[in-house]
Amino acid sequence: MGLFSGKKGMILGVANDYSIAWSITEKLAAEGAELGFTHLPGEKMERRVRKAIDPIGPKLLVPCDVQKDEDIAAAFAKAKETFGTLDFVLHSIAFAPIEDLKAPFVRASRDGFKLAMDISVYSLVSVARHAAELMPNGGSIVTMTYYGGEKVVPGYNLMGVCKAALDASVKYLAYDLGPKNIRVNAVSAGPVKTLAASAVGDFDKLSGLYEAIAPMQRNVTREEVGSSGMFLLSDLARGISGEILHVDCGYHAMGSPGHAFEKALEQQAAD
Ligand code: 0WD
């Protein structure tokens, strides 16, 4: 018996087998979950996602552009047909136009801001609303966030502001859906090399920052992020809601460069 035996869930945001959604999927599948997936509309996207998820025998794969409420409604209607009810939903989606993502936040365009907020934040609200209708016995909804929404992480720019709004959305959704025994949480992951991460900037530099500053003196692994996502979706986390769970080797706890600063001082003394 796995932790997820008899449990059914939808996963939004597998782009390929580097995606964080895939790392969480692997853990859910190993614990016996029955899973449905969405893909961005288009044959190429469908093929890409199908290739990633094929090994775990998905029960459902449906197109869904989260900018369209009708796509979200259709995806959850299919989920209802396939599963009847749902126990959990993973939302692992973000997007900002590359020119707005790369620019200093002060130069973010109005259209880029609206689009990034729509796909990266409002989508969670709409997904949660539709998912809740299929969760008569309660459930768990998890999204993916990043520390750049709490403090300034240079280079994260517009996406940092989106993540701040996403974090607040998690808390308000947790409040609204709590009476139905539906929990809403976020995993705040350290940097993981994925398609989306390559758009944000120099991955090795960001990962190096974690090795230098995080209490554990390393960056997180995709496997660790997968386990934590699975945990929040599971009954093990049944008392947790409105939480932003940092899975970042302790980086978020630091108020100074810590070990990196001590090393710099030692180096200075040795010179
Ligand atoms: O270091 C990282 N990779 C971190 C990622 C650290 C902390 C948080 N995150 C977050 C991201 O901000 C995002 O919310 O994790 C989530 C998943 O990101 P990922 O796994 O890093 O990236 P990726 O594999 O690219 O998945 C994001 C997916 C899209 O992929 P592509 O590459 O095709 O844009 O979001 C989906 C799409 O599958 N997506 C959409 N889905 C439906 N409708 C849409 C849309 N309009 N736009 C993007």
Side-chain angles (χ1 to χ4, degrees), residues 256-271:
S256 94
H259 300 299
F261 186 57
E262 284 160 28
K263 279 187 191 151
L265 288 180
E266 280 167 24
Q267 187 63 45
Q268 233 174 43
D271 288 344

Side-chain angles (χ1 to χ4, degrees), residues 12-16 18-22 38-41 45 48-49 64-67 91-95 119-120 143-147 156 159 163 166 187-197 203 206:
L12 291 79
V14 173
N16 56 31
Y18 283 90
S19 299
I20 289 177
W22 175 247
T38 62
H39 66 84
L40 267 169
M45 292 298 182
R48 204 170 71 174
V49 177
C64 179
D65 177 349
V66 293
Q67 279 190 274
H91 169 280
S92 185
I93 286 172
F95 178 82
I119 297 179
S120 313
T143 188
M144 294 302 308
T145 190
Y146 181 61
Y147 187 60
Y156 207 56
M159 193 47 71
K163 292 306 191 192
L166 184 72
V187 170
S188 179
V192 178
K193 208 167 192 166
T194 63
L195 273 181
F203 178 84
L206 197 57

Side-chain angles (χ1 to χ4, degrees), residues 130 138 170 259:
H130 286 88
V170 163
H259 300 299

Side-chain angles (χ1 to χ4, degrees), residues 40-215:
L40 267 169
E43 273 178 32
K44 197 174 146 205
M45 292 298 182
E46 182 179 356
R47 267 201 307 279
R48 204 170 71 174
V49 177
R50 196 176 285 286
K51 194 171 154 210
I53 64 177
D54 247 4
I56 59 123
K59 293 278 181 293
L60 175 68
L61 175 61
V62 280
C64 179
D65 177 349
V66 293
Q67 279 190 274
K68 298 182 181 148
D69 274 327
E70 61 273 24
D71 274 24
I72 298 175
F76 280 93
K78 282 275 180 203
K80 187 176 180 183
E81 259 175 54
T82 307
F83 297 119
T85 58
L86 289 176
D87 299 290
F88 62 91
V89 170
L90 174 66
H91 169 280
S92 185
I93 286 172
F95 178 82
I98 194 76
E99 57 281 9
D100 290 295
L101 195 58
K102 296 269 185 209
F105 178 61
V106 68
R107 294 222 303 267
S109 70
R110 189 181 297 271
D111 285 347
F113 186 95
K114 282 188 194 163
L115 183 61
M117 282 283 180
D118 186 19
I119 297 179
S120 313
V121 186
Y122 185 74
S123 63
L124 176 68
V125 185
S126 180
V127 163
R129 191 163 58 237
H130 286 88
E133 286 173 20
L134 302 188
M135 294 177 164
N137 309 314
S140 175
I141 299 172
V142 167
T143 188
M144 294 302 308
T145 190
Y146 181 61
Y147 187 60
E150 296 171 58
K151 300 281 178 190
V152 174
V153 177
Y156 207 56
N157 306 329
L158 172 58
M159 193 47 71
V161 176
C162 289
K163 292 306 191 192
L166 184 72
D167 293 358
S169 304
V170 163
K171 294 170 193 167
Y172 278 90
L173 289 169
Y175 177 73
D176 288 350
L177 299 177
K180 296 181 167 171
N181 198 28
I182 297 172
R183 303 180 291 105
V184 186
N185 293 292
V187 170
S188 179
V192 178
K193 208 167 192 166
T194 63
L195 273 181
S198 61
V200 169
D202 185 341
F203 178 84
D204 291 336
K205 209 163 122 191
L206 197 57
S207 182
L209 197 64
Y210 281 69
E211 286 156 31
I213 294 175

